[in-house]
Amino acid sequence: MSTLFTGLSAFPLTPADPNGIVDTTAIGMLVERLVAAGVDSIGLLGSTGIYAYLDRIQRGRAVAAAVEATGGRVPLVVGIGALRTSWAIEFAVDAERAGASGLLIAPMSYTPLTDGEAAAHYRAVAGATALTLCIYNNPGTTNFSFSDALIGELATIPGIAGIKMPLRADDDYAGELARLRASTPENSRLATAAIGAPPRHCSQVATLGLASLRACCLNRRCG
C-alpha cells in the first residue's frame, strides 16, 4: 500500500488572473502556509485548483512553483485530468519531470464514458509514468460515477494506489469502504480518500485495512 495517500491532504486554490495566467508567487505563499501547518501532503490542481481551465503551460508553471515551495518537505500530488488521454499523459510526464510525488486523475469527458473507456484511460496514463496515481471520483464535476466493478478493475493496475471519493450524505464511510474492499482483489491495498471526512471515519477506514486520506480545501476545516 502506498504511504503517499495517507493522513491529511490539503488542496489549495490556484490563483490566476482573468486570462488564466497563474500567479506563481501566490501559489508559493499558499503552499508555504500549508507546509507550516503540518499537512501530510498537498494536492495541487484539484477541482479547487481549477485544473480543468488551465493549459499545459500554466499547469506547468503552477507545478514548478509548488515544487519549489515545498522543497521536498511535503509530498506534492498533482491533478492531471484532461479531455484526451494523450493530454493526461503529457501532464503526467510534465509533473513527474518537475518533481511531483504523485498524481490525481479525474475522468474528464465531453460525452459520457463507458467503464471500459475509463479503464483504458487510466491504464494508459498509469503506464506512462513512474509516479503513483490516485483515482478522482467526483461525479459532481465529471458526470461520471465509478462502479464498484470498475474500481476493482483499476485496483489491479500497477501504479494506481488510491481513490478519492465524494463526501457521503449519510456519513456511512465505513460501509462504503467495506463494500469497496469486497470488490477489490485480496492483494490490493488501494488507499481511499474521504473528501472532508471527519477524523472518526479515518479510524473506521484503518480497521478495514485501507489507508485513509482526508482531503480538505484551504480555509476549510476537516472534522
Side-chain angles (χ1 to χ4, degrees), residues 49-65:
I50 61 171
Y51 74 94
Y53 299 97
L54 298 177
D55 62 24
R56 186 178 183 182
I57 292 175
Q58 296 308 315
R59 292 192 194 206
R61 294 180 68 242
V63 174

Side-chain angles (χ1 to χ4, degrees), residues 107-188:
M108 294 178 64
S109 68
Y110 179 72
T111 57
L113 296 173
T114 65
D115 279 9
E117 290 168 339
H121 178 66
Y122 278 87
R123 193 177 300 275
V125 177
T129 176
L131 297 181
T132 52
L133 270 67
C134 181
I135 302 161
Y136 191 5
N137 183 11
N138 189 5
T141 59
T142 64
N143 294 311
F144 181 84
S145 294
F146 287 82
S147 65
D148 291 353
L150 177 57
I151 292 172
E153 178 181 353
L154 295 178
T156 67
I157 298 175
I160 293 182
I163 181 166
K164 187 169 182 277
M165 298 291 286
L167 190 66
R168 292 186 61 87
D170 59 7
D171 267 6
D172 185 21
Y173 298 100
E176 177 180 66
L177 293 166
R179 190 187 74 249
L180 291 177
R181 187 182 184 191
S183 68
T184 55
E186 290 186 4
N187 62 348
S188 171

